[in-house]
Structure formats: C-alpha cells, structure tokens
Amino acid sequence: MAKRPPITNRIRDLRALKGGLSQVALAQEVGVTRQTIIAIEQGRYSPSLESAFRIARLFEVDIEQVFGWQGPPKALNGAL
C-alpha cells in the first residue's frame, strides 16, 4: 500500500461553503480532471504548487487555509 502524502486539505468544506461547488466545476476551473480533485480531497495525491495556488485563489483564501502539512516535527536544534 502506498504511503499517503503528508498534505492535508479542506477542499470539501470549502466547496460546500462556495454554494456546493461540484468537483467537476472545481476541476474545470483548476485545469485538472475530476479524478484528480477526488484524489486530492481524499489525501491520496498532493497537488502541484500551481494547482494548489489556483484552488486557493478560486476560494479566495490563503493557500494555508486550504492545505496543511503533517510532516515530522521540526528539529529543536535550531536548524532550518
């Protein structure tokens, strides 16, 4: 089984807040397939940076209001 990417998202919630925007309509606006939107929503696929920005702009929010990162905790040794 493939490991899920550490990217989380609120796309489904934001679609509902946008008047029930369909996955098809979102896909058309972003320039991807409905299957891609489904995979992103389910956390099985991380969008390209360009697609992530397009999604955030469509919902008129900052990218971090759509996507989150659940990676390993930062090292406490001061390294970036």
Side-chain angles (χ1 to χ4, degrees), residues 33-77:
T33 65
R34 177 177 173 262
Q35 288 78 13
T36 298
I37 296 299
I38 291 168
I40 293 169
E41 282 188 1
Q42 292 177 349
R44 294 185 289 115
Y45 176 76
S46 294
S48 69
L49 188 56
E50 180 180 348
S51 292
F53 273 105
R54 286 177 185 263
I55 291 168
R57 287 191 178 169
L58 177 73
F59 291 123
E60 300 176 342
V61 296
D62 292 332
I63 198 165
E64 289 183 333
Q65 291 178 283
V66 181
F67 298 98
W69 174 261
Q70 287 188 333
K74 288 183 178 180
L76 298 177
N77 63 5

Side-chain angles (χ1 to χ4, degrees), residues 2-56:
K3 184 177 176 185
R4 288 183 176 255
I7 304 292
T8 61
N9 71 80
R10 297 183 48 238
I11 294 174
R12 186 172 295 144
D13 295 336
L14 292 167
R15 284 192 307 103
L17 291 172
K18 191 99 171 158
L21 181 69
S22 71
Q23 292 171 330
V24 171
L26 177 58
Q28 290 172 341
E29 290 290 329
V30 176
V32 298
T33 65
R34 177 177 173 262
Q35 288 78 13
T36 298
I37 296 299
I38 291 168
I40 293 169
E41 282 188 1
Q42 292 177 349
R44 294 185 289 115
Y45 176 76
S46 294
S48 69
L49 188 56
E50 180 180 348
S51 292
F53 273 105
R54 286 177 185 263
I55 291 168

